[in-house]
Amino acid sequence: MIGAAWAAVPLLALVCALALTVRAGSLSTDPTGLLGPYAICWALFAVAVWRLRRVPKRAALFMVGAGGFAVAATGLLAPPATSTDSFRYAWDGRVQAAGLSPYDHAPADPALAPLRDRWLFPEGAACRGRDRYPLPSPTGVRSCTRINRPAVHTIYPPLAQAYFWAVHRLSPEGSRHKPLQIGGAVLAFATTIMLLRVAPARAAWWAWCPAVPVEAVNNAHVDVLGVLLTVIALTIVARRRVLGGALLGAATAVKLLPAVTLPGALSGLLARPRRASDALAVAGSAVLVVTLAYLPYVLASRASVLGYFFGYVKEEGYDDTGGHRYAVLRLFLPDSWAMPAALAVVAAAAVAVLCRGDAERPWHGALTVAGIAFLVFTPGYSWYALLVVALVALDGRWEWLAVPVAGAVAYLGRAEPAAGTAAYAVAALVVAAASAVRLRSPAGRTPPPPPPPP
């Protein structure tokens, strides 16, 4: 009872701090000012998880579930605070409900003017603010939209589009951003339930993580759907190759990022000729699902279903050494070497996992490849690292939680790019130091795999 109370105090403090943080600021005010409150939330999270170790198992399971519900619910307390992506989700769902392909028209296209409303497309004085994007207006009235990059086509893959359509169809008229936030909360809590079944000792590392209510719920990022599918895929792929691969393909068809976990799903299989058929079953089913998911949109669309993908790659500096990508590598290498070096490092990690990874613990290799990819590519969007948080909860190597912290610093502090670079560099040092300790100490090595789901 005393142990539970000691863990409940920082958990309650975390819930209160998250509620205040979500309501504290936005893109239109001072995103950098959220760094302090967010740091407090992460500190409380660390204390709460640490104290949970002293709680009896049954009480701990209840606390993780109830705490995860409360933590996720804090994201519902305010409109999206630090991202406008969910406005594009709502628009894409509306466009599909009208019988149109979301890949054929940009939001600014006059052909879609009949679908506009004053929530997503304000006018006049409502167009003030950093999170408003101007539009041409033939009537002379000041016009704008809440949707970022309104002149470009959508970038989101087909199963994300199916999710946007489903949320739109289930949403009452005029419900605005709330249905997508509720959908994010449901998916985040479903991930908690799944982790409680397969990794109960570490489920709190996802359920109570501050990134979950902020990015999965408040900002309603569709990444959480890809995370849920990835978690399920990795926990069953060792026993059900085709189904696991299919679920991993579905996760990739929600957001392309889960594809980086494929080497983990294939851990050790390529080094064993007798298991080549297993590798083919996993990879083949994943590719098949992605292909089938895209096919209806390919047939229904006149424009490319890749949308703004290549424009995004260039804009974010992934095609060369521009922007702030590869920031850690650029501390040591010439700029022209950074991109090839990043690709080489990730490829080496993938090959090592494919050849020497543990086929019974595919999440271990998945975390290794995904985490290294984050450290060398240094993405500037914090919600991408939701995948890393879930993999940490599966695998147990807590040091990789430094990656989502670095992503948050890079995003909220993007006015000072050096802060993001420093945060990723610190994350790399934390991972390297903890990995060295694990190699030296048998007691500190990765824990055994969690039991399979019932």
Side-chain angles (χ1 to χ4, degrees), residues 12 24 31 61 67 86 140 171 187 263 301 309 311 341 344 359 368 383 387 392 421 429:
L12 290 173
L61 292 176
S86 62
S171 302
L187 292 170
S301 305
F309 176 76
T368 298
W383 49 92
L387 177 63
V392 168
T421 300
L429 291 174

Side-chain angles (χ1 to χ4, degrees), residues 281-454:
V282 174
S285 57
V287 171
L288 180 61
V289 167
V290 172
T291 302
L292 293 177
Y294 268 106
L295 184 59
Y297 287 93
V298 171
L299 297 176
S301 305
R302 297 188 302 272
S304 169
V305 293
L306 294 178
Y308 185 58
F309 176 76
F310 293 108
Y312 170 83
V313 169
K314 183 175 182 180
E315 177 184 305
E316 291 297 314
Y318 288 109
D319 61 335
D320 51 29
T321 56
H324 306 290
R325 305 292 73 81
Y326 322 113
V328 174
L329 291 177
R330 290 167 65 192
L331 293 174
F332 310 99
L333 299 174
D335 284 354
S336 59
W337 293 14
M339 184 177 71
L343 295 175
V345 169
V346 174
V351 170
V353 168
L354 289 170
C355 294
R356 304 185 64 182
D358 187 346
E360 298 302 316
R361 294 190 298 155
W363 49 84
H364 184 80
L367 176 57
T368 298
V369 177
I372 289 174
F374 272 83
L375 291 177
V376 298
F377 285 96
T378 59
Y381 295 118
S382 50
W383 49 92
Y384 291 179
L386 286 171
L387 177 63
V388 174
V389 175
L391 292 175
V392 168
L394 278 175
D395 188 59
R397 286 177 287 169
W398 59 265
E399 61 269 19
W400 287 103
L401 287 175
V403 169
V405 174
V409 173
Y411 181 65
L412 295 176
R414 60 193 179 281
E416 297 292 339
T421 300
Y424 272 114
V426 170
L429 291 174
V430 169
V431 170
S435 299
V437 170
R438 290 184 190 282
L439 289 174
R440 289 172 175 265
S441 172
R445 289 174 187 166
T446 305

